[in-house]
């Protein structure tokens, strides 16, 4: 028995071509071209068993808002996202929004049909490799530079942050010591502790890491006017 389907994509030719191919395989299909903003309302009003919902940019913020709305208003509709090869974050976002599967635009019609049948049966419909990458992204999220900068900042004392700031400005041990009112040997010890805590092997690497992660930008409230003497 065929599945009652909707194929919704803002590219009419793609939607109609896929709908025609699925009709030839015995499914009851309605093709529709609609921008993302109106896609959810269209699907909710027709209430198919399965919806193939196209997206051109799965990694973009809000790409799966229509999925959220469909699942909220018609939870019985199984939503399959139809899109390009996704990043792990893209496919993870699709599942987080409530999609039950992800089908690549270049999938063969047999693969699309298998995904549809799985979706109707309440199963996850996605290639194993894509599913694994999504789980990996959820379990081991990438650290954003902003987050990394804050994490590194917490490893350093206030004095070490000032030392790092001076290192980033190109000051050598003598200048660091003079500017902070400490002995050169003490300045050298502070620099070595900073390098060790940041996990780098040179002052140049420390400066580059601080610049890449925005560490010193986060440290501005701590730095203020340059300090002298001990903390």
């Amino acid at each position: 028995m065929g599945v009652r389907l909707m194929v919704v994509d803002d590219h009419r030719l793609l939607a109609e071509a896929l709908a025609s191919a699925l009709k030839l395989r015995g499914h009851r299909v309605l093709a529709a071209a609609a921008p993302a903003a109106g896609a959810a309302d269209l699907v909710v009003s027709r209430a198919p068993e399965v919806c193939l919902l196209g997206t051109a940019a799965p990694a973009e913020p809000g790409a799966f808002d229509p999925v959220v709305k469909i699942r909220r208003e018609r939870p019985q509709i199984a939503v399959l996202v139809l899109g390009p090869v996704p990043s792990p974050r893209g496919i993870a976002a699709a599942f987080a929004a409530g999609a039950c599967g992800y089908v690549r635009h270049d999938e063969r019609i047999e693969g699309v049909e298998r995904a549809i049948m799985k979706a109707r049966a309440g199963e996850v419909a996605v290639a194993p490799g894509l599913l694994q990458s999504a789980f990996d992204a959820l379990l081991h999220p990438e650290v954003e530079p902003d987050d990394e900068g804050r994490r590194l900042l917490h490893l350093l004392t206030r004095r070490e942050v000032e030392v790092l700031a001076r290192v980033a400005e190109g000051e050598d041990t003598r200048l660091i010591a003079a500017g902070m009112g400490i002995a050169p040997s003490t300045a050298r010890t502070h620099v070595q502790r900073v390098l060790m805590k940041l996990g780098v092997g040179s002052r140049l690497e420390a400066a580059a890491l601080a610049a890449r992660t925005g560490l010193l930008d986060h440290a501005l409230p701590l730095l203020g006017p340059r300090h002298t003497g001990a903390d």
Side-chain angles (χ1 to χ4, degrees):
M1 180 179 176
V3 179
R4 187 158 46 85
L5 296 166
M6 276 193 75
V7 180
V8 182
D9 198 288
D10 59 358
H11 295 286
R12 180 175 295 277
L13 287 177
L14 176 62
E16 291 181 349
L18 183 55
S20 296
L22 290 168
K23 285 177 182 177
L24 290 175
R25 301 178 80 87
H27 301 289
R28 293 165 290 164
V29 191
L30 171 66
D41 291 334
L42 196 58
V43 175
V44 167
S45 67
R46 298 300 182 98
E49 293 177 274
V50 178
C51 171
L52 277 164
L53 187 68
T55 178
E60 289 296 316
F64 301 113
D65 287 351
V67 180
V68 174
K69 183 172 183 179
I70 292 168
R71 295 292 295 162
R72 182 178 65 242
E73 299 190 17
R74 296 274 189 174
Q76 71 274 21
I77 299 175
V79 181
L80 283 172
V81 173
L82 180 67
V85 178
S87 66
R89 285 189 177 190
I91 195 167
F95 280 106
C100 66
Y102 192 104
V103 181
R104 286 170 40 170
H105 275 144
D106 59 356
E107 180 65 75
R108 296 171 62 88
I109 190 63
E110 294 83 3
V112 176
E113 187 174 40
R114 281 195 299 271
I116 289 168
M117 301 310 291
K118 283 185 175 183
R120 185 173 70 168
E123 301 175 22
V124 173
V126 64
L130 293 181
L131 189 59
Q132 183 62 52
S133 68
F135 282 141
D136 287 343
L138 290 173
L139 294 173
H140 307 289
E142 295 179 6
V143 178
E144 295 294 331
D146 186 64
D147 295 335
E148 179 71 354
R150 293 181 188 280
R151 183 186 71 79
L152 293 173
L153 179 60
H154 289 308
L155 299 178
L156 305 177
T157 66
R158 184 177 182 180
R159 174 54 55 88
E160 288 164 350
V161 170
E162 184 176 353
V163 168
L164 177 60
R166 291 179 180 277
V167 167
E169 290 174 3
E171 294 186 7
D172 59 17
T173 301
R174 180 182 57 80
L175 286 174
I176 292 172
M180 297 178 67
I182 57 179
S185 60
T186 302
R188 191 174 299 109
T189 298
H190 280 316
V191 171
Q192 290 304 314
R193 285 178 178 169
V194 169
L195 299 185
M196 180 185 67
K197 288 184 177 182
L198 296 182
V200 296
S202 70
R203 299 181 185 211
L204 184 59
E205 288 181 79
L209 180 62
R212 178 172 61 80
T213 62
L215 190 161
L216 292 177
D217 292 334
H218 296 309
L220 287 176
L222 291 177
L223 291 170
R226 290 303 175 91
H227 300 282
T228 59
D231 283 340

